[in-house]
């Protein structure tokens, strides 16, 4: 309500340019609408997390800066209404409507998003994910959050634009051991290999921060280990394209080859901080060129050629593309003596 800030049941009808709402009397809606929301120039926020105890809200702000908070009965209903209202707002722009439907079931993680940055934001005491006590099959868990709460939080903080995308992102946080499942439902889902089934967008599935990812844990050992890795003499460095382990996509990385100790690290060139995003010891590794006629097993996506592969002593396979055959030869020849 606008005058008395209470919550009342209303029957809503979505038209092409406005949203009508009716009073309910005796289980039936009255013939004339109680009010209307003009959609021209409206902005929509979904999920809206302004009310902590009301996670199923849609917020509409009109072009005259009037705020409407609408609470739905379920997440599915909320997301369905939000999609249709957004479509009506952009009805005069059919290309935008098509793009909205495409994004609903697509995934494209923004290049400038770091999983570490997301976790840092999640820990924030004022704007981070809300931690609560939960009961699951007789077991009590402290400082947990539900799957649907994390999906809502990722969308509201602009880390994802759809629930499908947020679920995939949450699965990546779980794969990298930033968060972990607790309780029967979320733990059971871990056996699925498909990211859309591994993490549950559900209000009964519980998750918590993984112990080693907490800010309170000591990072002294990790810092010493990294210093040891990065103390070697730089033998070669340059830009190569690497296939990811989780999503099998290709991204440009700056590789640095070091000797004594022998390590190959790779950096994200979009990040200002000069810290590697990955790396491995070269002791016991195998490195070899891959033929350009045909795509080898284990390689997916856009392959331009000039591939080579590094297999670590732990049998982890790294697929890397050079810009030319000559550059590929140079990297292989530089790496081989250090294995």
């Amino acid at each position: 309500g606008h005058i008395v800030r209470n919550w009342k049941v209303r029957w809503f009808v979505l038209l092409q340019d406005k949203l009508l709402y009716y009073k309910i009397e005796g289980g039936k809606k009255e013939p004339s609408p109680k009010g209307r929301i003009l959609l021209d120039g409206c902005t929509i926020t979904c999920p809206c997390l302004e009310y902590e105890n009301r996670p199923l809200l849609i917020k509409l702000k009109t072009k005259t800066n009037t705020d409407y908070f609408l609470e739905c009965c379920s997440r599915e209903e909320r997301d369905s209404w939000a999609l249709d209202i957004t479509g009506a707002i952009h009805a005069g722009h059919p290309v935008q409507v098509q793009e909205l439907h495409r994004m609903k079931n697509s995934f494209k993680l923004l290049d400038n998003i770091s999983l570490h940055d997301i976790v840092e934001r999640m820990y924030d005491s004022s704007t981070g994910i809300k931690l609560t006590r939960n009961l699951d099959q007789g077991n009590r868990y402290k400082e947990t959050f539900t799957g649907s709460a994390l999906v809502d939080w990722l969308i509201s903080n602009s880390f994802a634009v759809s629930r499908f995308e947020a679920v995939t992102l949450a699965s990546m946080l779980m794969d990298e051991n930033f968060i972990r499942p607790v309780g029967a439902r979320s733990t059971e889902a871990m056996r699925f290999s498909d990211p859309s089934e591994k993490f549950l967008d559900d209000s009964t599935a519980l998750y918590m921060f993984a112990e080693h990812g907490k800010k309170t844990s000591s990072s002294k050992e990790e810092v010493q280990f990294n210093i040891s890795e990065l103390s070697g003499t730089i033998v070669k460095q340059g830009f190569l394209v690497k296939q990811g382990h989780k999503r099998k996509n290709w991204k440009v990385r700056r590789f640095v080859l070091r000797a004594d100790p022998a390590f190959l690290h790779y950096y994200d060139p979009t990040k200002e901080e000069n810290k590697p995003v990955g790396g491995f010891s070269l002791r016991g590794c195998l490195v070899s060129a891959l033929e350009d006629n045909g795509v080898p097993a284990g390689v997916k996506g856009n392959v331009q050629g000039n591939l080579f592969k590094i297999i670590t002593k732990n049998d982890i396979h790294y697929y890397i593309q050079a810009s030319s055959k000559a550059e590929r030869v140079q990297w292989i020849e530089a790496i081989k003596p250090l294995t």
Side-chain angles (χ1 to χ4, degrees):
H2 287 291
I3 308 301
V4 180
R5 296 290 183 177
N6 56 356
W7 297 84
K8 289 186 176 179
V9 175
R10 294 288 183 257
W11 181 270
F12 279 82
V13 176
L14 176 62
L15 302 180
Q16 185 174 358
D17 60 345
K18 56 182 160 293
L19 191 61
L20 305 179
Y21 53 94
Y22 299 76
K23 289 181 68 175
I24 302 291
E25 292 291 343
K28 296 182 179 180
K29 73 178 181 72
E30 293 188 342
S32 299
K34 172 75 174 174
R36 63 178 185 171
I37 305 171
L38 298 178
L39 298 178
D40 179 43
C42 255
T43 57
I44 182 170
T45 304
C46 178
C48 171
L49 304 183
E50 291 189 27
Y51 290 84
E52 186 177 337
N53 61 338
R54 295 182 181 274
L56 303 177
L57 286 185
I58 296 170
K59 177 182 177 181
L60 290 175
K61 180 185 282 290
T62 68
K63 65 180 181 181
T64 58
N65 289 322
T66 302
D67 291 338
Y68 290 88
F69 294 92
L70 316 177
E71 184 173 33
C72 301
C73 299
S74 68
R75 285 180 293 110
E76 293 77 16
E77 188 179 66
R78 178 195 66 186
D79 296 337
S80 177
W81 271 101
L83 189 67
D84 291 337
I85 292 171
T86 305
I89 291 173
H90 298 294
H93 307 278
V95 174
Q96 285 183 292
V97 177
Q98 290 177 4
E99 180 68 11
L100 288 167
H101 284 274
R102 185 194 65 78
M103 288 193 305
K104 186 181 178 184
N105 290 304
S106 66
F107 182 82
K108 184 182 179 183
L109 183 64
L110 297 176
D111 292 336
N112 60 348
I113 285 183
S114 159
L115 295 182
H116 290 275
D117 293 341
I118 293 175
V119 175
E120 287 287 315
R121 290 274 296 276
M122 287 174 68
Y123 274 114
D124 190 283
S125 58
S126 58
T127 61
I129 189 85
K130 303 300 180 185
L131 303 179
T132 58
R133 294 173 180 264
N134 283 285
L135 183 68
D136 183 87
Q137 295 192 349
N139 297 316
R140 293 185 180 276
Y141 298 99
K142 297 179 181 179
E143 298 187 327
T144 60
F145 47 87
T146 66
S148 58
L150 178 55
V151 170
D152 284 350
W153 185 88
L154 289 169
I155 296 173
S156 66
N157 283 273
S158 302
F159 290 118
V161 297
S162 68
R163 301 196 79 79
F164 179 87
E165 184 172 315
V167 165
T168 309
L169 187 52
S171 297
M172 293 171 65
L173 290 171
M174 200 159 55
D175 287 339
E176 297 299 329
N177 205 27
F178 289 114
I179 64 174
R180 63 182 179 88
V182 291
R185 287 213 64 204
S186 55
T187 304
E188 171 65 15
M190 278 292 290
R191 65 185 179 88
F192 293 106
S193 58
D194 187 335
S196 64
E197 298 177 327
K198 186 183 297 184
F199 181 88
L200 299 178
D201 179 8
D202 193 289
S203 59
T204 62
L206 302 180
Y207 299 88
M208 67 188 308
F209 290 111
E211 287 299 318
H212 87 277
K214 289 188 175 180
K215 286 185 175 180
T216 54
S217 64
S218 173
S219 59
K220 186 177 181 181
E221 180 180 348
E222 180 185 353
V223 171
Q224 289 176 341
F225 180 69
N226 287 339
I227 290 174
S228 172
E229 281 189 15
L230 301 171
S231 64
T233 303
I234 295 178
V235 176
K236 183 176 177 59
Q237 59 181 314
F239 291 98
L240 298 166
V241 183
K242 173 187 166 294
Q243 179 178 262
H245 290 293
K246 305 297 181 185
R247 294 174 53 216
K248 304 299 182 185
N249 57 347
W250 294 88
K251 288 190 175 181
V252 174
R253 294 290 182 252
R254 180 172 64 87
F255 279 79
V256 177
L257 178 63
R258 292 181 173 89
D260 300 320
F263 272 87
L264 183 63
H265 292 98
Y266 47 94
Y267 299 73
D268 186 343
T270 66
K271 300 287 185 294
E272 291 184 4
E273 58 182 17
N274 192 31
K275 294 180 180 179
V277 295
F280 51 91
S281 170
L282 290 173
R283 295 302 179 194
C285 283
L286 298 174
V287 57
S288 60
L290 297 175
E291 296 300 326
D292 291 340
N293 53 343
V295 179
V299 175
K300 296 182 179 179
N302 185 21
V303 180
Q304 303 296 328
N306 306 313
L307 275 172
F308 64 99
K309 177 171 69 173
I310 302 175
I311 305 176
T312 69
K313 64 180 180 180
N314 297 324
D315 198 34
I316 298 175
H317 293 225
Y318 289 86
Y319 294 97
I320 302 169
Q321 295 185 59
S323 61
S324 66
K325 288 186 178 181
E327 185 183 46
R328 177 174 67 179
V329 170
Q330 291 170 8
W331 274 100
I332 292 174
E333 290 181 348
I335 292 170
K336 271 187 176 179
L338 302 177
T339 60

